[in-house]
Amino acid sequence: MDRAVPAPGGRANVSPDVIERLKQVLGETGWSQDPQRLAPKLVEWRDRWSGTTPFLALPGSPAQVAAVVALCAQTGTPITPQGGNTGLVGGQIPQGEILLSTERLRRVRDIDVNDDVIEVEAGATLAAVHEAALAAGRRFPLSLASEGSATIGGLISTNAGGTAVLRYGTMRALVLGLEAVLPDGAIWNGLKRLRKDNTGYDLKQLLIGAEGTLGVITAASLKLFPIPASRAVAMVGVPTPADAVALLRRARDETGGAVEAFELIGRLGVDLACRHLPGVRDPLTGRPAWTVLIEIVAGAPGEAEAALERLLTGALETGLISDAALAQNQAQAHAFWALREGQSAAQKPEGVAWKHDVSVPVSRIAAFIETADAELGERFPGVRVDAFGHVGDGNIHYDVLAPADGDQVAHAAARDGGARLVHDLVVRLGGSISAEHGLGSMKTAEAEGYKSPREVAALRAIRAALDPNRIMNPRVLF
Amino acid sequence: MDRAVPAPGGRANVSPDVIERLKQVLGETGWSQDPQRLAPKLVEWRDRWSGTTPFLALPGSPAQVAAVVALCAQTGTPITPQGGNTGLVGGQIPQGEILLSTERLRRVRDIDVNDDVIEVEAGATLAAVHEAALAAGRRFPLSLASEGSATIGGLISTNAGGTAVLRYGTMRALVLGLEAVLPDGAIWNGLKRLRKDNTGYDLKQLLIGAEGTLGVITAASLKLFPIPASRAVAMVGVPTPADAVALLRRARDETGGAVEAFELIGRLGVDLACRHLPGVRDPLTGRPAWTVLIEIVAGAPGEAEAALERLLTGALETGLISDAALAQNQAQAHAFWALREGQSAAQKPEGVAWKHDVSVPVSRIAAFIETADAELGERFPGVRVDAFGHVGDGNIHYDVLAPADGDQVAHAAARDGGARLVHDLVVRLGGSISAEHGLGSMKTAEAEGYKSPREVAALRAIRAALDPNRIMNPRVLF
């Protein structure tokens, strides 16, 4: 934890009197000031941001959340809500605010296979939702590496993405209804399970991705899906990112949209995974410059495998791909995915990484990688780029390591300059400087510089309309 | 047009001086006060609502839209925006406001098959977008009966639904970016084409479904999809709506989610279509109480047909369905769809219909229809119910005709009482009183009664934050 620094933004003050009243509201089991209990909630998992709080609220029901927020609203006391503490941009780390954890709100309230809906409390983990869905013969498709810790409330508040967005969309597309405590402490029951509902502005759309600034999500109803009858996974080698995009287009054309995942990993990323992750090896013998993981699903047994084989045979014949390995069983499919999902872990032993979670239009992925590589190489000679991500969404994790045997301290110090270069390019290409992680306290100021003043004014006006005293996660967003 | 009555809400006043200045801004070809030119824009297509306006603005560019809105903002002049005038709830019919038509903004600005995006101006019709997508080997899936007139701006402003929502979602799920003129006249360029973008509240989500109250949408970038390699359509008979829901579940399970449409039509609806629509006939000989139109798609030629045959064979064997007709060719598939899409037209010769565009959770469709039939039958003896709609979305068009040879005037007079009964039931079942048509000026007051005061206050605060003088479509929404 040596490297952790306070997350950006001013330090909040909370009156001792408010804390006493919060204890009354929450009861004996509903709060903590024990430093041991608080510690893991005050540092994010990469040890990058650290925080402080005078009080951890552990409400056991939406009514208790409402009571906490109401008291804070009346007294102008700031609150930072926190789910599984897996965020990467400091949004969940308090700097003196009350810390409100949803960890005791983890009930699966209902699951209905006719509605294809699961209704679940905000503190339930993604893994718990996956499990409950499977037990009912259904599937909740959102999928990302931190599923064992990440909570539904946090995933909604950051509009999480992951590897199945190409087919199922981000969290926004998967939420049918929300229950939330608004910034004045009122409980809003928007827990519908309707696929169509047009009766005025859709309040839940504002709460999704609001990073805890417009209230505390306490429960959600989420869409479930049938389990595909067949699924096939392959890893293939392509010479350039442009070839990967061409392959994606071909795959979507040929399979009529059955592509469920289409992930790209550069040479360095494959090599690092093989070097640092136990049991991981490169299934392709030709050491291609770029590796694509492609997953196809279909409605009948055997169809996905057949479709993927057809696609790869054709692509090999025309020279679009150089090499292909089709997973022969579940274990091999898992091994392919382990190589992809271990990318962040595989970087860690290499030292400091500048992480850029960016998106560009799919048609500009190749231009982005090519130009960013060139501009970075000129300004920061020797840096090593580990670019990987979701080609189908245009979402590239463009991570930059120090030169081999380079100076880690110097690399860390140059981080902001690198980010500026990458983000300027992304915006020139019509992209986003935060594809799926959100802004948190880390990127808010930077994002403001890229937005028009009129848009920022509109976003501020909306926030002020719902939280006039700005008590909800005050350091986060505009 | 004899029956048309003014849409609800107060009558606006516009100063002659403002009109003169608008003429300057718009140039000779950019406005009209010609009653002949205005007439078709002042009555909705069912002749239910009529309106008035002192001035029709016909801006030829987003900059001209901005100039009109800026002038109106400065002078407190109210505006009603209008697309293809296909709305069913009076939202597009002015009562004295300036009428701003998007009919001259109909350019397809760009189409990119790598991005799977079409960028199009707000006044383009849905049919034009379908055509442009097809020409590029792609598909824009939103589909509804009025596609030849309905415009993209209107479809976004009402978050339109239609028959492909089960698989592709409503318009909200299909919009990647928006360009809009905000209520102060500023042009907001949110025309991104990103699948993932998390940099603060998603302003476009507010504009989608806002029914023109938060600005004027001038262009959009929309998602395109591959054309499925195979597609199969059948009509099947089931004894009850509960059986239809069971069949939907089975179809989704067995095909791994390949069901693209699942539409229900009651006996009366089939009979009316056969009686009143030229060339339409019932493909099922057994006169089932309920008919389901089911469409399945797949990624390879022949797969959809095979999957649908498997499904129907199994369902016939277990007695879940009583009768089935599989379309043998495109023409037959079109004929099946004509029966479904002609439901509104088939009602017209029968006289007055109380139309209810409602949704309930899928698991409650059967309870809804059964209870509504019973309660209506008791209170309005002899009325004939034509219930049809999108089972997969829980969206039922529950339309009520006068008793055979009944008094049309009396039936029209009882409309509000019927709506109250149906809507009360819908809300009891966790449903929505407007699934896909919006509130307009017709349902706003009613919807307010069903929402919590806290939610209405939040929606009003958001509106006031973006349009403090309430000049945008002032009679519509809260």
Side-chain angles (χ1 to χ4, degrees):
Chain A
M1 292 174 23
D2 323 271
R3 284 181 293 131
V5 299
R11 173 83 177 271
N13 277 310
V14 176
S15 111
D17 171 59
V18 169
I19 290 177
E20 286 315 306
R21 290 164 67 192
L22 285 172
K23 289 178 183 175
Q24 298 303 316
V25 160
L26 288 161
E28 247 177 61
T29 56
W31 59 272
S32 178
Q33 292 181 307
D34 173 5
Q36 302 279 23
R37 180 89 171 75
L38 269 62
K41 296 189 189 296
L42 296 175
V43 179
E44 61 109 65
W45 67 276
R46 292 170 313 172
D47 301 340
R48 182 137 186 238
W49 311 115
S50 67
T52 60
T53 185
F55 185 79
L56 170 63
L58 294 160
S61 66
Q64 281 196 340
V65 176
V68 169
V69 176
L71 181 54
C72 288
Q74 288 150 24
T75 56
T77 304
I79 303 172
T80 295
Q82 188 181 93
N85 192 18
T86 60
L88 294 168
V89 287
Q92 77 281 20
I93 304 293
Q95 297 301 335
E97 296 91 6
I98 298 291
L99 182 60
L100 190 157
S101 169
T102 56
E103 69 170 52
R104 290 178 65 209
L105 303 170
R106 50 200 316 146
R107 212 155 45 90
V108 174
R109 292 186 186 167
D110 188 28
I111 188 159
D112 188 305
V113 292
N114 281 324
D115 290 335
D116 270 337
V117 161
I118 183 169
E119 187 181 315
V120 65
E121 290 184 342
T125 63
L126 179 55
V129 170
H130 284 163
E131 215 169 285
L134 273 180
R138 283 292 185 280
R139 175 174 183 228
F140 183 67
L142 193 91
S143 179
L144 38 76
S146 59
E147 63 167 49
S149 312
T151 62
I152 293 303
L155 293 163
I156 295 173
S157 295
T158 56
N159 184 25
T163 53
V165 171
L166 179 58
R167 192 174 170 89
Y168 298 96
T170 61
M171 197 64 174
R172 185 182 299 282
L174 302 172
V175 174
L176 288 174
L178 288 181
E179 175 190 273
V181 173
L182 300 180
D184 63 350
I187 295 179
W188 173 60
N189 183 349
L191 264 186
K192 293 185 173 174
R193 49 178 68 182
L194 302 173
R195 312 270 160 171
K196 287 184 180 171
D197 179 20
N198 278 303
T199 59
Y201 314 144
D202 191 350
L203 201 49
K204 71 174 177 294
Q205 301 298 340
L206 267 180
L207 286 157
I208 297 168
E211 304 190 28
T213 64
L214 299 180
V216 181
I217 292 167
T218 52
S221 43
L222 306 172
K223 285 186 196 170
L224 298 179
F225 293 82
I227 298 172
S230 63
R231 175 182 297 278
V233 182
M235 274 193 152
V236 307
V238 291
T240 66
D243 296 314
V245 171
L247 178 63
L248 170 66
R249 185 175 152 189
R250 183 165 175 163
R252 282 167 62 84
D253 280 355
E254 279 190 16
T255 68
V259 182
E260 177 147 324
F262 197 96
E263 303 281 312
L264 184 69
I265 316 170
R267 186 71 245 155
L268 177 64
V270 174
D271 288 344
L272 292 181
C274 294
R275 188 181 312 157
H276 296 302
L277 302 179
V280 168
R281 57 177 209 82
D282 184 357
L284 301 176
T285 52
R287 293 190 55 74
W290 295 88
T291 296
V292 168
L293 187 160
I294 178 168
E295 182 160 318
I296 283 188
V297 296
E303 279 179 7
E305 294 84 346
L308 189 51
E309 272 195 45
R310 262 197 315 274
L311 172 72
L312 298 184
T313 306
L316 276 167
E317 274 169 11
T318 58
L320 180 57
I321 63 176
S322 59
D323 201 354
L326 197 68
Q328 297 302 316
N329 49 46
Q330 278 277 75
Q332 257 185 4
H334 280 148
F336 291 2
W337 272 107
L339 200 161
R340 163 62 188 87
E341 295 208 318
Q343 285 299 301
S344 280
Q347 288 172 5
K348 253 195 162 176
E350 297 286 316
V352 174
W354 308 341
K355 306 232 177 200
H356 305 106
D357 162 44
V358 300
S359 66
V360 293
V362 172
S363 62
R364 293 178 179 177
I365 288 175
F368 164 67
I369 293 178
E370 200 177 303
T371 312
D373 284 0
E375 291 186 1
L376 272 179
E378 190 170 321
R379 181 142 157 225
F380 305 99
V383 292
R384 295 172 301 155
V385 173
D386 181 15
F388 61 97
H390 323 290
V391 172
D393 320 321
N395 178 194
I396 303 299
H397 297 287
Y398 190 86
D399 296 349
V400 184
L401 306 171
D405 307 316
D407 178 348
Q408 294 293 331
V409 176
H411 190 60
R415 187 195 302 266
D416 289 351
R420 184 61 187 264
L421 186 155
V422 172
H423 291 166
D424 279 354
L425 173 61
V426 161
V427 171
R428 282 206 306 278
L429 294 172
S432 169
I433 67 164
S434 184
E436 59 180 5
H437 296 167
L439 297 179
S441 47
M442 177 185 161
K443 285 188 180 174
T444 289
E446 191 184 1
E448 186 173 345
Y450 288 116
K451 283 187 192 281
S452 73
R454 182 65 189 88
E455 179 173 348
V456 173
L459 301 182
R460 287 214 168 97
I462 292 164
R463 181 175 190 159
L466 294 177
D467 184 11
N469 300 317
R470 201 178 171 99
I471 63 160
M472 294 306 308
N473 226 2
R475 291 169 307 96
V476 171
L477 297 189
F478 312 108
Chain B
M1 295 176 21
D2 323 273
R3 284 181 294 132
V5 297
R11 174 84 177 271
N13 276 312
V14 175
S15 109
D17 171 58
V18 169
I19 289 177
E20 287 314 305
R21 289 165 68 191
L22 285 172
K23 290 178 182 174
Q24 298 302 316
V25 159
L26 287 162
E28 248 177 61
T29 56
W31 59 273
S32 177
Q33 292 181 306
D34 173 6
Q36 302 278 22
R37 180 89 171 76
L38 268 63
K41 296 190 190 295
L42 295 176
V43 180
E44 61 108 68
W45 68 274
R46 292 171 312 171
D47 301 340
R48 183 139 184 237
W49 311 116
S50 67
T52 60
T53 185
F55 185 79
L56 170 63
L58 294 161
S61 66
Q64 281 196 339
V65 176
V68 169
V69 176
L71 181 54
C72 288
Q74 287 151 23
T75 56
T77 305
I79 304 171
T80 295
Q82 188 182 94
N85 192 18
T86 61
L88 294 168
V89 287
Q92 77 280 20
I93 304 293
Q95 297 301 333
E97 296 90 5
I98 297 291
L99 182 60
L100 189 157
S101 168
T102 55
E103 69 171 51
R104 289 177 64 208
L105 303 170
R106 50 199 317 146
R107 212 154 45 91
V108 174
R109 291 186 187 168
D110 189 29
I111 188 159
D112 188 304
V113 291
N114 281 325
D115 290 334
D116 270 337
V117 161
I118 184 169
E119 188 181 316
V120 65
E121 290 183 342
T125 63
L126 178 56
V129 169
H130 283 163
E131 214 170 285
L134 273 180
R138 283 292 184 279
R139 175 173 182 227
F140 183 67
L142 193 92
S143 179
L144 39 75
S146 59
E147 63 166 52
S149 313
T151 62
I152 293 303
L155 293 163
I156 295 172
S157 295
T158 56
N159 184 25
T163 54
V165 171
L166 180 57
R167 191 173 171 89
Y168 298 96
T170 60
M171 197 65 174
R172 185 182 298 283
L174 302 172
V175 173
L176 289 174
L178 288 182
E179 175 190 273
V181 173
L182 300 180
D184 63 351
I187 295 179
W188 173 59
N189 184 349
L191 263 186
K192 294 185 173 175
R193 48 178 68 182
L194 303 173
R195 312 270 160 170
K196 286 183 179 171
D197 179 22
N198 278 303
T199 59
Y201 314 144
D202 192 349
L203 201 48
K204 71 174 175 293
Q205 300 298 341
L206 268 181
L207 285 157
I208 297 168
E211 304 190 27
T213 64
L214 299 179
V216 181
I217 292 168
T218 51
S221 43
L222 305 172
K223 284 186 197 170
L224 298 179
F225 292 82
I227 298 172
S230 63
R231 175 182 296 279
V233 183
M235 275 194 151
V236 306
V238 291
T240 67
D243 296 313
V245 171
L247 178 63
L248 170 66
R249 185 176 153 189
R250 181 165 176 164
R252 281 168 62 85
D253 281 354
E254 280 191 16
T255 67
V259 182
E260 177 148 325
F262 197 97
E263 303 281 313
L264 183 69
I265 316 170
R267 187 70 246 155
L268 177 63
V270 174
D271 287 343
L272 292 181
C274 294
R275 188 181 313 157
H276 296 302
L277 303 179
V280 168
R281 56 178 209 85
D282 184 358
L284 301 176
T285 52
R287 292 190 55 75
W290 295 89
T291 296
V292 167
L293 186 160
I294 178 167
E295 182 159 318
I296 283 187
V297 297
E303 279 178 7
E305 293 83 347
L308 189 50
E309 272 196 46
R310 263 196 314 275
L311 172 73
L312 298 184
T313 306
L316 276 167
E317 274 168 11
T318 58
L320 180 57
I321 63 177
S322 59
D323 200 354
L326 196 68
Q328 297 303 317
N329 49 46
Q330 277 278 74
Q332 256 185 4
H334 280 148
F336 290 2
W337 272 108
L339 200 162
R340 163 62 187 87
E341 295 207 319
Q343 284 301 300
S344 279
Q347 286 173 6
K348 254 195 161 176
E350 297 286 316
V352 174
W354 308 341
K355 306 232 176 200
H356 306 106
D357 162 44
V358 301
S359 67
V360 293
V362 172
S363 62
R364 295 179 178 175
I365 288 176
F368 164 68
I369 293 178
E370 200 176 303
T371 313
D373 284 0
E375 292 186 0
L376 273 179
E378 190 170 321
R379 180 143 158 227
F380 305 99
V383 292
R384 296 171 300 154
V385 172
D386 181 15
F388 61 97
H390 324 290
V391 172
D393 319 321
N395 177 193
I396 303 297
H397 297 287
Y398 189 87
D399 297 347
V400 184
L401 305 172
D405 307 316
D407 178 347
Q408 294 294 331
V409 176
H411 190 59
R415 186 195 302 265
D416 290 350
R420 183 62 187 262
L421 186 155
V422 171
H423 291 166
D424 279 354
L425 173 61
V426 161
V427 171
R428 283 207 306 279
L429 294 172
S432 169
I433 67 164
S434 185
E436 59 181 5
H437 297 166
L439 297 179
S441 47
M442 176 184 161
K443 285 188 180 175
T444 289
E446 191 184 1
E448 186 172 345
Y450 288 115
K451 283 189 191 281
S452 74
R454 181 65 189 88
E455 179 173 348
V456 173
L459 301 182
R460 288 215 168 97
I462 292 164
R463 181 176 191 158
L466 294 176
D467 183 11
N469 300 318
R470 201 179 171 99
I471 63 160
M472 294 305 309
N473 226 2
R475 292 169 305 98
V476 170
L477 298 189
F478 312 109

